[in-house]
């Protein structure tokens, strides 16, 4: 596999995470039909990377597209959306698809996304080659968003984080975990994390949601997440991190009081939805102590930020709510 994308911390920066100097890496018009490309998933594949990208077209119809890259920075995204075949169900109805995540588990790549079926819920599918895709049963009843699978079974069961919601842009949102024996039937729902109190950490006081696939570390599961505050100018999304217990990931060990990355650059503050940093994917290298997080910027572009894994973990422990 290629070395993960990387750029050293800028000389004068003290931040635990820093932006790629050539951001955004994917422009809103990177395929002919697109109005915007953002909130997308990336995973190692072959001698490079594959991804599933949210591409809203110029009618602002929301769908997911496959793409490939040798270096994780320069992407070739298919011009047509993914067409699903029946997986463990014949019911593959979908009026929209957005905000995908991708993870390798056991023998295939699993994809989750926000699926339109009488309202937003968690769609699940899989692929072996990013050319042929199979859709499975929706995980939950509407309404739900931000379905994020763990990369391995926990106590013999598949595990997924999600954020129950309502049919619109909700002014609330907690992170929950659910378990499944077979990727079809889900239960044992447990609360993981709620928004913070305004006085303690206002950037995440309105809602929180899981971001990239959690990373198993010696300190537990590293979960990158988004937090939201409702300001006089609307919702503002930023990126934080938490450490969850390895065998009981509904238990939060540490959680950042300050954010890791918030909207500050023009491409994060100006776009279809201003003031959004929305993490959806992360690549990591333990040997080189590297973390690369892909995030949607202002619901318009894809950008990337870097950090040292050990520093992010220590920052999470030292600056916990």
């Amino acid at each position: 596999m290629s070395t993960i994308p990387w750029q050293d911390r800028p000389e004068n920066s003290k931040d635990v995470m820093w932006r790629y100097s050539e951001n955004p890496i994917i422009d809103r018009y990177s395929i002919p039909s697109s109005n915007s490309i953002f909130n997308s998933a990336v995973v190692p594949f072959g001698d490079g990377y594959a991804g599933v990208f949210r591409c809203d077209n110029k009618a602002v119809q929301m769908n997911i597209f496959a793409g490939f890259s040798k270096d994780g920075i320069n992407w070739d995204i298919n011009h047509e959306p993914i067409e699903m075949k029946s997986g463990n169900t014949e019911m593959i109805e979908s009026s929209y698809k957005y905000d995908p995540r991708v993870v390798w588990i056991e023998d295939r790549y699993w994809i989750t996304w926000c699926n339109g079926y009488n309202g937003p819920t968690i769609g699940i599918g899989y692929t072996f080659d990013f050319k042929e895709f199979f859709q499975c049963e929706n995980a939950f009843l509407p309404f739900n968003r931000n379905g994020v699978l763990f990369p391995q079974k926990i106590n013999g069961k598949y595990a997924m984080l999600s954020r129950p919601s309502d049919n619109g842009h909700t002014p609330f949102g907690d992170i929950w975990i659910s378990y499944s024996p077979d990727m079809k039937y889900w239960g044992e729902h447990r609360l993981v994390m709620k928004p913070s109190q305004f006085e303690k950490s206002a950037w995440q006081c309105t809602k929180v949601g899981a971001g990239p696939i959690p990373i198993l570390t010696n300190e537990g599961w590293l979960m990158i997440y988004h937090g939201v505050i409702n300001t006089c100018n609307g919702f503002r999304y930023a990126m934080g991190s938490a450490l969850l217990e390895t065998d009981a990931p509904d238990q939060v060990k540490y959680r950042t009081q300050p954010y890791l990355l918030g909207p500050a650059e023009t491409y994060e503050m100006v776009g279809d939805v201003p003031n959004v940093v929305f993490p959806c994917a992360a690549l990591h290298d333990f040997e080189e102590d590297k973390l690369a997080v892909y995030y949607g910027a202002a619901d318009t572009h894809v950008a990337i930020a870097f950090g040292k894994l050990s520093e992010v973990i220590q920052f999470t422990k030292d600056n916990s709510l």
Side-chain angles (χ1 to χ4, degrees):
M1 189 193 80
S2 304
T3 302
I4 72 168
W6 185 254
Q7 189 175 65
D8 288 333
R9 179 188 278 113
E11 190 171 332
N12 298 321
S13 173
K14 304 289 186 183
D15 294 328
V16 67
M17 294 200 72
W18 58 94
R19 297 165 177 82
Y20 181 46
S21 63
E22 301 299 318
N23 273 344
I25 62 167
I26 300 176
D27 181 68
R28 66 185 305 168
Y29 300 129
S30 292
I31 62 174
S33 63
S34 63
N35 165 77
S36 51
I37 303 175
F38 60 105
N39 297 2
S40 300
V42 171
V43 70
F45 178 72
D47 61 353
Y49 302 92
V52 178
F53 297 86
R54 173 177 178 172
C55 303
D56 293 2
N57 67 19
K58 292 178 175 65
V60 194
Q61 294 173 300
M62 303 166 190
N63 216 326
I64 54 176
F65 293 62
F68 302 89
S69 174
K70 290 293 187 184
D71 59 7
I73 297 288
N74 299 285
W75 287 88
D76 181 14
I77 301 173
N78 294 346
H79 292 185
E80 297 297 326
I82 291 169
E83 291 191 13
M84 295 287 181
K85 300 180 179 179
S86 294
N88 64 14
T89 178
E90 295 300 315
M91 203 296 294
I92 60 172
E93 181 179 333
S94 180
S95 55
Y96 51 77
K97 297 182 178 76
Y98 63 79
D99 295 357
R101 275 74 163 183
V102 179
V103 60
W104 171 266
I105 306 176
E106 296 174 332
D107 64 346
R108 69 195 69 187
Y109 298 92
W110 289 94
I111 306 150
T112 55
W113 65 88
C114 185
N115 191 51
Y117 178 68
N118 298 292
T121 184
I122 305 302
I124 304 177
Y126 62 86
T127 183
F128 298 97
D129 56 9
F130 289 91
K131 295 178 181 177
E132 191 174 34
F133 294 82
F134 300 87
Q135 186 168 339
C136 299
E137 280 285 340
N138 294 324
F140 310 117
L141 290 168
F143 307 110
N144 207 316
R145 292 175 170 84
N146 297 300
V148 179
L149 289 163
F150 283 75
Q152 63 189 54
K153 290 181 177 179
I154 297 174
N155 300 319
K157 298 173 185 176
Y158 298 103
M160 188 196 310
L161 301 166
S162 69
R163 193 193 77 197
S165 61
D166 64 21
N167 199 29
H169 293 284
T170 55
F172 64 88
D174 308 329
I175 298 174
W176 288 71
I177 190 168
S178 304
Y179 296 93
S180 172
D182 57 4
M183 282 288 195
K184 185 171 185 177
Y185 299 103
W186 294 84
E188 298 180 81
H189 313 295
R190 302 290 184 269
L191 177 67
V192 177
M193 198 166 82
K194 298 177 74 68
S196 69
Q197 296 177 2
F198 177 88
E199 296 81 3
K200 291 187 175 181
S201 185
W203 71 270
Q204 53 182 326
C205 70
T206 300
K207 51 186 171 179
V208 288
I213 304 304
I215 299 168
L216 185 57
T217 76
N218 292 332
E219 299 284 353
W221 291 102
L222 176 64
M223 178 183 71
I224 306 295
Y225 66 95
H226 66 261
V228 184
I229 180 174
N230 193 10
T231 74
C232 60
N233 195 39
F235 289 148
R236 178 184 185 271
Y237 286 70
M239 181 196 309
S241 58
L243 286 165
L244 312 179
E245 288 283 1
T246 300
D247 295 323
D250 60 316
Q251 302 299 311
V252 179
K253 298 171 66 176
Y254 305 96
R255 167 188 179 178
T256 50
Q257 182 178 34
Y259 57 74
L260 294 175
L261 196 76
E265 297 294 329
T266 300
Y267 57 84
E268 299 160 349
M269 297 189 297
V270 177
D272 282 1
V273 181
N275 301 317
V276 175
V277 165
F278 192 94
C280 274
L283 301 172
H284 65 278
D285 186 320
F286 282 112
E287 289 187 5
E288 297 190 6
D289 194 24
K290 292 177 178 179
L291 176 69
V293 177
Y294 293 80
Y295 64 95
D299 279 17
T300 305
H301 312 284
V302 176
I304 191 168
F306 305 109
K308 294 282 190 177
L309 262 172
S310 61
E311 292 180 4
V312 171
I313 292 168
Q314 196 63 47
F315 181 88
T316 307
K317 295 172 65 175
D318 293 344
N319 298 275
S320 183
L321 276 171

